[in-house]
Amino acid sequence: NTVSDIVAVGDKVQVRIRTVDAEAGRVSLSMITKEQEEASRPPRREKNNDRGNFSAVANSWKDTGAADWKEQLEEFGKEQPGFTNGAVVVERL
């Protein structure tokens, strides 16, 4: 949970420099290799830039039974109270 669970003041450790922020006067260090760090990250999701193929998320509405979405929305609207947003005029003298 904390650094002191792994090392103590005065311990000699091998580190690598991850980044240097000269403007802020900071150096980011790591005790694990770059390969270990990358292996511990969750896999990246790839973007689908091909317009001809749709992603599973984009097509998921077809699998949810929403073929009659228009009718369902109209039915839902009948059950909801009406709301009208009008302009507010304030006279300042």
Side-chain angles (χ1 to χ4, degrees), residues 5-82:
D5 291 342
I6 308 297
V7 294
V9 174
D11 286 354
K12 290 185 179 184
V13 296
Q14 185 174 4
V15 297
R16 72 178 173 88
I17 299 172
R18 292 179 64 211
T19 59
V20 176
D21 185 352
E23 240 178 66
R26 296 185 206 169
V27 177
S28 175
L29 305 173
S30 178
M31 290 178 53
I32 62 174
T33 66
K34 189 172 185 175
E35 291 79 18
Q36 290 170 323
E37 188 174 300
E38 289 173 355
S40 68
R41 288 187 187 146
R44 297 179 109 190
R45 295 188 314 179
E46 294 184 26
K47 291 183 179 180
N48 184 358
N49 292 330
D50 185 6
R51 301 257 182 212
N53 296 329
F54 297 100
S55 69
V57 173
N59 287 330
S60 65
W61 65 271
K62 293 178 182 177
D63 300 329
T64 60
D68 58 345
W69 65 269
K70 184 177 178 183
E71 291 81 12
Q72 288 180 4
L73 185 60
E74 288 171 351
E75 195 64 34
F76 176 76
K78 291 177 186 176
E79 300 171 5
Q80 300 301 313

